[in-house]
Amino acid sequence: QVQLVESGGGLVQAGGSLRLSCAVSGRTFGSKGWFRQAPGKERVFVAGINWIGSSTYADSVKGRFTISRDNAKNTVFLQMNSLKPEDTAVYYCAAARGPNGYSTPGEYDYWGQGTQVTVSS
C-alpha cells in the first residue's frame, strides 16, 4: 500500500522559513512534487523533482523554495525561505511513476493528505 505522509507545516511570520518533508512508503517513484491549495482556489504546482534530481519551480517561488529528495530514504523535502503571507495554503506532496519532473496534478499518481502552512504578516 502506497502512503505519502507530509510533515513540517505550521505557523510562521513573514520572512521566516519552514521545511516540509514527505515520507513515501510502499514503492519507489520516478518523480515527486509539491503542490499547494489556498482556500477557495485550485491546487497549483509549487515544485517538482525528477529521478536524477533535476528540479522545476513555479515562478512565484523561484529563488525562495528548494525541493530535494533522498532516494535512499524515499523522502522528498521542500525548504521554504523568505515566506510571504500569500504562501499560506495547504501543501500537498505528490508522487509519479514516470521519471520526468511534472508540473500538473494529473501527471501524479499518489497524493499525501496535506499539511497546513500559515504565514502571518
Side-chain angles (χ1 to χ4, degrees), residues 26-42:
R27 63 162 288 166
T28 58
F29 290 92
S31 304
K32 296 184 174 73
W34 289 95
F35 290 74
R36 67 187 182 188
Q37 187 167 17
K41 296 188 176 181
E42 294 183 347

Side-chain angles (χ1 to χ4, degrees), residues 57-72:
Y57 298 92
D59 288 342
S60 59
V61 306
K62 279 182 182 176
R64 301 188 297 123
F65 291 12
T66 303
I67 188 171
S68 61
R69 63 189 296 170
D70 184 334
N71 288 338

